[in-house]
PDB file of all heavy atoms in Angstrom:
ATOM      1  N   ASP A 103       0.674 106.892 -14.484  1.00  0.00           N
ATOM      2  CA  ASP A 103       1.492 106.368 -13.463  1.00  0.00           C
ATOM      3  C   ASP A 103       2.976 106.265 -13.984  1.00  0.00           C
ATOM      4  O   ASP A 103       3.932 106.619 -13.223  1.00  0.00           O
ATOM      5  CB  ASP A 103       1.034 104.991 -12.991  1.00  0.00           C
ATOM      6  CG  ASP A 103      -0.214 105.064 -12.165  1.00  0.00           C
ATOM      7  OD1 ASP A 103      -0.653 106.176 -11.773  1.00  0.00           O
ATOM      8  OD2 ASP A 103      -0.820 104.010 -11.981  1.00  0.00           O
ATOM      9  N   LYS A 104       3.157 105.786 -15.229  1.00  0.00           N
ATOM     10  CA  LYS A 104       4.492 105.628 -15.785  1.00  0.00           C
ATOM     11  C   LYS A 104       5.174 107.033 -15.838  1.00  0.00           C
ATOM     12  O   LYS A 104       6.333 107.240 -15.543  1.00  0.00           O
ATOM     13  CB  LYS A 104       4.378 104.996 -17.143  1.00  0.00           C
ATOM     14  CG  LYS A 104       5.704 104.787 -17.846  1.00  0.00           C
ATOM     15  CD  LYS A 104       6.467 103.661 -17.209  1.00  0.00           C
ATOM     16  CE  LYS A 104       7.789 103.472 -17.872  1.00  0.00           C
ATOM     17  NZ  LYS A 104       8.547 102.450 -17.294  1.00  0.00           N
ATOM     18  N   ARG A 105       4.404 107.976 -16.359  1.00  0.00           N
ATOM     19  CA  ARG A 105       4.921 109.359 -16.476  1.00  0.00           C
ATOM     20  C   ARG A 105       5.274 109.993 -15.101  1.00  0.00           C
ATOM     21  O   ARG A 105       6.328 110.615 -14.977  1.00  0.00           O
ATOM     22  CB  ARG A 105       3.972 110.284 -17.248  1.00  0.00           C
ATOM     23  CG  ARG A 105       3.910 110.030 -18.677  1.00  0.00           C
ATOM     24  CD  ARG A 105       2.826 110.814 -19.355  1.00  0.00           C
ATOM     25  NE  ARG A 105       2.939 110.661 -20.813  1.00  0.00           N
ATOM     26  CZ  ARG A 105       2.051 111.123 -21.682  1.00  0.00           C
ATOM     27  NH1 ARG A 105       1.051 111.783 -21.237  1.00  0.00           N
ATOM     28  NH2 ARG A 105       2.189 110.930 -22.976  1.00  0.00           N
ATOM     29  N   ILE A 106       4.468 109.721 -14.122  1.00  0.00           N
ATOM     30  CA  ILE A 106       4.801 110.301 -12.817  1.00  0.00           C
ATOM     31  C   ILE A 106       5.975 109.661 -12.207  1.00  0.00           C
ATOM     32  O   ILE A 106       6.845 110.265 -11.593  1.00  0.00           O
ATOM     33  CB  ILE A 106       3.542 110.165 -11.868  1.00  0.00           C
ATOM     34  CG1 ILE A 106       2.318 110.980 -12.432  1.00  0.00           C
ATOM     35  CG2 ILE A 106       3.917 110.535 -10.436  1.00  0.00           C
ATOM     36  CD1 ILE A 106       2.539 112.432 -12.438  1.00  0.00           C
ATOM     37  N   GLU A 107       6.101 108.277 -12.325  1.00  0.00           N
ATOM     38  CA  GLU A 107       7.316 107.600 -11.861  1.00  0.00           C
ATOM     39  C   GLU A 107       8.608 108.134 -12.519  1.00  0.00           C
ATOM     40  O   GLU A 107       9.598 108.378 -11.903  1.00  0.00           O
ATOM     41  CB  GLU A 107       7.148 106.128 -12.082  1.00  0.00           C
ATOM     42  CG  GLU A 107       6.244 105.475 -11.116  1.00  0.00           C
ATOM     43  CD  GLU A 107       6.583 105.678  -9.684  1.00  0.00           C
ATOM     44  OE1 GLU A 107       7.719 105.589  -9.239  1.00  0.00           O
ATOM     45  OE2 GLU A 107       5.637 106.151  -8.865  1.00  0.00           O
ATOM     46  N   LYS A 108       8.501 108.340 -13.806  1.00  0.00           N
ATOM     47  CA  LYS A 108       9.668 108.922 -14.537  1.00  0.00           C
ATOM     48  C   LYS A 108       9.971 110.350 -14.117  1.00  0.00           C
ATOM     49  O   LYS A 108      11.134 110.722 -14.050  1.00  0.00           O
ATOM     50  CB  LYS A 108       9.439 108.840 -16.079  1.00  0.00           C
ATOM     51  CG  LYS A 108       9.676 107.503 -16.684  1.00  0.00           C
ATOM     52  CD  LYS A 108      11.155 107.125 -16.559  1.00  0.00           C
ATOM     53  CE  LYS A 108      11.504 105.772 -17.121  1.00  0.00           C
ATOM     54  NZ  LYS A 108      12.888 105.367 -17.056  1.00  0.00           N
ATOM     55  N   ALA A 109       8.895 111.075 -13.892  1.00  0.00           N
ATOM     56  CA  ALA A 109       9.053 112.479 -13.455  1.00  0.00           C
ATOM     57  C   ALA A 109       9.772 112.571 -12.096  1.00  0.00           C
ATOM     58  O   ALA A 109      10.744 113.350 -11.958  1.00  0.00           O
ATOM     59  CB  ALA A 109       7.718 113.154 -13.376  1.00  0.00           C
ATOM     60  N   LYS A 110       9.381 111.663 -11.186  1.00  0.00           N
ATOM     61  CA  LYS A 110      10.107 111.579  -9.899  1.00  0.00           C
ATOM     62  C   LYS A 110      11.593 111.294 -10.047  1.00  0.00           C
ATOM     63  O   LYS A 110      12.433 111.857  -9.457  1.00  0.00           O
ATOM     64  CB  LYS A 110       9.418 110.539  -9.002  1.00  0.00           C
ATOM     65  CG  LYS A 110       8.090 110.942  -8.516  1.00  0.00           C
ATOM     66  CD  LYS A 110       7.266 109.796  -8.033  1.00  0.00           C
ATOM     67  CE  LYS A 110       7.821 109.047  -6.777  1.00  0.00           C
ATOM     68  NZ  LYS A 110       6.867 107.994  -6.355  1.00  0.00           N
ATOM     69  N   GLU A 111      11.856 110.384 -11.029  1.00  0.00           N
ATOM     70  CA  GLU A 111      13.270 110.032 -11.347  1.00  0.00           C
ATOM     71  C   GLU A 111      14.045 111.187 -11.876  1.00  0.00           C
ATOM     72  O   GLU A 111      15.130 111.534 -11.475  1.00  0.00           O
ATOM     73  CB  GLU A 111      13.270 108.838 -12.321  1.00  0.00           C
ATOM     74  CG  GLU A 111      14.576 108.270 -12.646  1.00  0.00           C
ATOM     75  CD  GLU A 111      14.429 107.189 -13.677  1.00  0.00           C
ATOM     76  OE1 GLU A 111      13.463 106.224 -13.500  1.00  0.00           O
ATOM     77  OE2 GLU A 111      15.138 107.108 -14.630  1.00  0.00           O
ATOM     78  N   TYR A 112      13.401 111.939 -12.817  1.00  0.00           N
ATOM     79  CA  TYR A 112      14.069 113.111 -13.503  1.00  0.00           C
ATOM     80  C   TYR A 112      14.278 114.235 -12.484  1.00  0.00           C
ATOM     81  O   TYR A 112      15.313 114.862 -12.427  1.00  0.00           O
ATOM     82  CB  TYR A 112      13.278 113.581 -14.642  1.00  0.00           C
ATOM     83  CG  TYR A 112      13.212 112.633 -15.832  1.00  0.00           C
ATOM     84  CD1 TYR A 112      12.223 112.715 -16.775  1.00  0.00           C
ATOM     85  CD2 TYR A 112      14.218 111.693 -16.021  1.00  0.00           C
ATOM     86  CE1 TYR A 112      12.147 111.932 -17.909  1.00  0.00           C
ATOM     87  CE2 TYR A 112      14.136 110.783 -17.053  1.00  0.00           C
ATOM     88  CZ  TYR A 112      13.195 110.920 -18.069  1.00  0.00           C
ATOM     89  OH  TYR A 112      13.139 110.137 -19.116  1.00  0.00           O
ATOM     90  N   ILE A 113      13.309 114.464 -11.532  1.00  0.00           N
ATOM     91  CA  ILE A 113      13.414 115.529 -10.610  1.00  0.00           C
ATOM     92  C   ILE A 113      14.573 115.174  -9.661  1.00  0.00           C
ATOM     93  O   ILE A 113      15.386 115.982  -9.312  1.00  0.00           O
ATOM     94  CB  ILE A 113      12.145 115.714  -9.831  1.00  0.00           C
ATOM     95  CG1 ILE A 113      11.051 116.370 -10.786  1.00  0.00           C
ATOM     96  CG2 ILE A 113      12.293 116.511  -8.593  1.00  0.00           C
ATOM     97  CD1 ILE A 113       9.649 116.441 -10.214  1.00  0.00           C
ATOM     98  N   LYS A 114      14.631 113.910  -9.265  1.00  0.00           N
ATOM     99  CA  LYS A 114      15.807 113.504  -8.320  1.00  0.00           C
ATOM    100  C   LYS A 114      17.100 113.694  -9.069  1.00  0.00           C
ATOM    101  O   LYS A 114      18.096 113.962  -8.370  1.00  0.00           O
ATOM    102  CB  LYS A 114      15.656 112.006  -7.960  1.00  0.00           C
ATOM    103  CG  LYS A 114      14.585 111.815  -6.873  1.00  0.00           C
ATOM    104  CD  LYS A 114      14.575 110.312  -6.560  1.00  0.00           C
ATOM    105  CE  LYS A 114      13.478 110.003  -5.490  1.00  0.00           C
ATOM    106  NZ  LYS A 114      13.338 108.547  -5.277  1.00  0.00           N
ATOM    107  N   ASN A 115      17.123 113.511 -10.380  1.00  0.00           N
ATOM    108  CA  ASN A 115      18.379 113.644 -11.130  1.00  0.00           C
ATOM    109  C   ASN A 115      18.718 115.146 -11.439  1.00  0.00           C
ATOM    110  O   ASN A 115      19.691 115.338 -12.143  1.00  0.00           O
ATOM    111  CB  ASN A 115      18.389 112.805 -12.375  1.00  0.00           C
ATOM    112  CG  ASN A 115      18.461 111.319 -12.092  1.00  0.00           C
ATOM    113  OD1 ASN A 115      18.950 110.950 -11.097  1.00  0.00           O
ATOM    114  ND2 ASN A 115      17.817 110.558 -12.950  1.00  0.00           N
ATOM    115  N   GLY A 116      17.890 116.100 -11.034  1.00  0.00           N
ATOM    116  CA  GLY A 116      18.227 117.485 -11.122  1.00  0.00           C
ATOM    117  C   GLY A 116      17.548 118.253 -12.248  1.00  0.00           C
ATOM    118  O   GLY A 116      17.823 119.435 -12.398  1.00  0.00           O
ATOM    119  N   LEU A 117      16.657 117.656 -13.001  1.00  0.00           N
ATOM    120  CA  LEU A 117      15.992 118.415 -14.019  1.00  0.00           C
ATOM    121  C   LEU A 117      14.965 119.370 -13.352  1.00  0.00           C
ATOM    122  O   LEU A 117      14.515 119.133 -12.236  1.00  0.00           O
ATOM    123  CB  LEU A 117      15.118 117.520 -14.887  1.00  0.00           C
ATOM    124  CG  LEU A 117      15.679 117.156 -16.300  1.00  0.00           C
ATOM    125  CD1 LEU A 117      16.987 116.516 -16.228  1.00  0.00           C
ATOM    126  CD2 LEU A 117      14.660 116.422 -17.119  1.00  0.00           C
ATOM    127  N   THR A 118      14.735 120.480 -14.004  1.00  0.00           N
ATOM    128  CA  THR A 118      13.777 121.456 -13.422  1.00  0.00           C
ATOM    129  C   THR A 118      12.340 120.903 -13.563  1.00  0.00           C
ATOM    130  O   THR A 118      12.153 119.940 -14.358  1.00  0.00           O
ATOM    131  CB  THR A 118      13.862 122.764 -14.187  1.00  0.00           C
ATOM    132  OG1 THR A 118      13.416 122.618 -15.535  1.00  0.00           O
ATOM    133  CG2 THR A 118      15.238 123.421 -14.192  1.00  0.00           C
ATOM    134  N   ILE A 119      11.474 121.543 -12.920  1.00  0.00           N
ATOM    135  CA  ILE A 119      10.045 121.021 -12.947  1.00  0.00           C
ATOM    136  C   ILE A 119       9.496 121.194 -14.505  1.00  0.00           C
ATOM    137  O   ILE A 119       8.832 120.237 -14.925  1.00  0.00           O
ATOM    138  CB  ILE A 119       9.143 121.849 -12.015  1.00  0.00           C
ATOM    139  CG1 ILE A 119       9.596 121.821 -10.618  1.00  0.00           C
ATOM    140  CG2 ILE A 119       7.714 121.423 -12.120  1.00  0.00           C
ATOM    141  CD1 ILE A 119       9.717 120.437  -9.957  1.00  0.00           C
ATOM    142  N   SER A 120       9.775 122.297 -15.158  1.00  0.00           N
ATOM    143  CA  SER A 120       9.295 122.494 -16.444  1.00  0.00           C
ATOM    144  C   SER A 120       9.953 121.501 -17.443  1.00  0.00           C
ATOM    145  O   SER A 120       9.220 120.909 -18.217  1.00  0.00           O
ATOM    146  CB  SER A 120       9.668 123.890 -16.925  1.00  0.00           C
ATOM    147  OG  SER A 120       9.000 124.856 -16.184  1.00  0.00           O
ATOM    148  N   GLU A 121      11.261 121.341 -17.299  1.00  0.00           N
ATOM    149  CA  GLU A 121      11.864 120.342 -18.180  1.00  0.00           C
ATOM    150  C   GLU A 121      11.330 118.926 -17.961  1.00  0.00           C
ATOM    151  O   GLU A 121      11.054 118.144 -18.914  1.00  0.00           O
ATOM    152  CB  GLU A 121      13.407 120.262 -17.881  1.00  0.00           C
ATOM    153  CG  GLU A 121      14.178 121.437 -18.319  1.00  0.00           C
ATOM    154  CD  GLU A 121      15.606 121.494 -17.786  1.00  0.00           C
ATOM    155  OE1 GLU A 121      15.904 120.887 -16.716  1.00  0.00           O
ATOM    156  OE2 GLU A 121      16.437 122.182 -18.454  1.00  0.00           O
ATOM    157  N   THR A 122      11.070 118.619 -16.675  1.00  0.00           N
ATOM    158  CA  THR A 122      10.564 117.254 -16.373  1.00  0.00           C
ATOM    159  C   THR A 122       9.177 117.051 -16.982  1.00  0.00           C
ATOM    160  O   THR A 122       8.925 116.087 -17.559  1.00  0.00           O
ATOM    161  CB  THR A 122      10.475 117.044 -14.901  1.00  0.00           C
ATOM    162  OG1 THR A 122      11.799 117.229 -14.319  1.00  0.00           O
ATOM    163  CG2 THR A 122       9.906 115.726 -14.502  1.00  0.00           C
ATOM    164  N   CYS A 123       8.358 118.080 -16.839  1.00  0.00           N
ATOM    165  CA  CYS A 123       7.028 118.053 -17.346  1.00  0.00           C
ATOM    166  C   CYS A 123       6.939 117.771 -18.869  1.00  0.00           C
ATOM    167  O   CYS A 123       6.289 116.776 -19.210  1.00  0.00           O
ATOM    168  CB  CYS A 123       6.358 119.457 -17.148  1.00  0.00           C
ATOM    169  SG  CYS A 123       4.804 119.718 -17.948  1.00  0.00           S
ATOM    170  N   TYR A 124       7.718 118.426 -19.646  1.00  0.00           N
ATOM    171  CA  TYR A 124       7.681 118.200 -21.025  1.00  0.00           C
ATOM    172  C   TYR A 124       8.451 116.922 -21.453  1.00  0.00           C
ATOM    173  O   TYR A 124       8.184 116.292 -22.369  1.00  0.00           O
ATOM    174  CB  TYR A 124       8.278 119.461 -21.790  1.00  0.00           C
ATOM    175  CG  TYR A 124       7.428 120.614 -21.490  1.00  0.00           C
ATOM    176  CD1 TYR A 124       7.837 121.726 -20.834  1.00  0.00           C
ATOM    177  CD2 TYR A 124       6.000 120.678 -21.900  1.00  0.00           C
ATOM    178  CE1 TYR A 124       6.971 122.789 -20.495  1.00  0.00           C
ATOM    179  CE2 TYR A 124       5.200 121.719 -21.582  1.00  0.00           C
ATOM    180  CZ  TYR A 124       5.714 122.861 -20.916  1.00  0.00           C
ATOM    181  OH  TYR A 124       4.933 123.844 -20.604  1.00  0.00           O
ATOM    182  N   GLU A 125       9.519 116.617 -20.706  1.00  0.00           N
ATOM    183  CA  GLU A 125      10.270 115.386 -20.928  1.00  0.00           C
ATOM    184  C   GLU A 125       9.461 114.099 -20.836  1.00  0.00           C
ATOM    185  O   GLU A 125       9.695 113.182 -21.535  1.00  0.00           O
ATOM    186  CB  GLU A 125      11.550 115.348 -20.028  1.00  0.00           C
ATOM    187  CG  GLU A 125      12.588 114.394 -20.426  1.00  0.00           C
ATOM    188  CD  GLU A 125      13.283 114.752 -21.743  1.00  0.00           C
ATOM    189  OE1 GLU A 125      13.461 115.879 -22.052  1.00  0.00           O
ATOM    190  OE2 GLU A 125      13.669 113.810 -22.423  1.00  0.00           O
ATOM    191  N   VAL A 126       8.554 114.092 -19.843  1.00  0.00           N
ATOM    192  CA  VAL A 126       7.764 112.851 -19.677  1.00  0.00           C
ATOM    193  C   VAL A 126       6.475 112.873 -20.472  1.00  0.00           C
ATOM    194  O   VAL A 126       5.704 111.883 -20.377  1.00  0.00           O
ATOM    195  CB  VAL A 126       7.437 112.630 -18.169  1.00  0.00           C
ATOM    196  CG1 VAL A 126       8.698 112.421 -17.361  1.00  0.00           C
ATOM    197  CG2 VAL A 126       6.598 113.786 -17.613  1.00  0.00           C
ATOM    198  N   GLY A 127       6.228 113.915 -21.272  1.00  0.00           N
ATOM    199  CA  GLY A 127       5.121 113.860 -22.190  1.00  0.00           C
ATOM    200  C   GLY A 127       3.852 114.647 -21.796  1.00  0.00           C
ATOM    201  O   GLY A 127       2.849 114.626 -22.572  1.00  0.00           O
ATOM    202  N   PHE A 128       3.908 115.466 -20.757  1.00  0.00           N
ATOM    203  CA  PHE A 128       2.790 116.311 -20.379  1.00  0.00           C
ATOM    204  C   PHE A 128       2.886 117.545 -21.288  1.00  0.00           C
ATOM    205  O   PHE A 128       4.012 118.047 -21.612  1.00  0.00           O
ATOM    206  CB  PHE A 128       2.743 116.685 -18.998  1.00  0.00           C
ATOM    207  CG  PHE A 128       2.346 115.551 -18.098  1.00  0.00           C
ATOM    208  CD1 PHE A 128       3.335 114.782 -17.430  1.00  0.00           C
ATOM    209  CD2 PHE A 128       1.048 115.268 -17.875  1.00  0.00           C
ATOM    210  CE1 PHE A 128       2.930 113.785 -16.539  1.00  0.00           C
ATOM    211  CE2 PHE A 128       0.598 114.244 -17.037  1.00  0.00           C
ATOM    212  CZ  PHE A 128       1.568 113.507 -16.418  1.00  0.00           C
TER     213      PHE A 128
END
Side-chain angles (χ1 to χ4, degrees):
D103 287 350
K104 180 74 181 178
R105 285 177 172 170
I106 296 299
E107 286 305 312
K108 281 294 182 181
K110 288 164 59 178
E111 185 181 314
Y112 291 160
I113 289 171
K114 281 182 183 174
N115 290 334
L117 257 61
T118 66
I119 304 299
S120 297
E121 288 170 336
T122 300
C123 167
Y124 299 114
E125 193 67 32
V126 297
F128 286 98

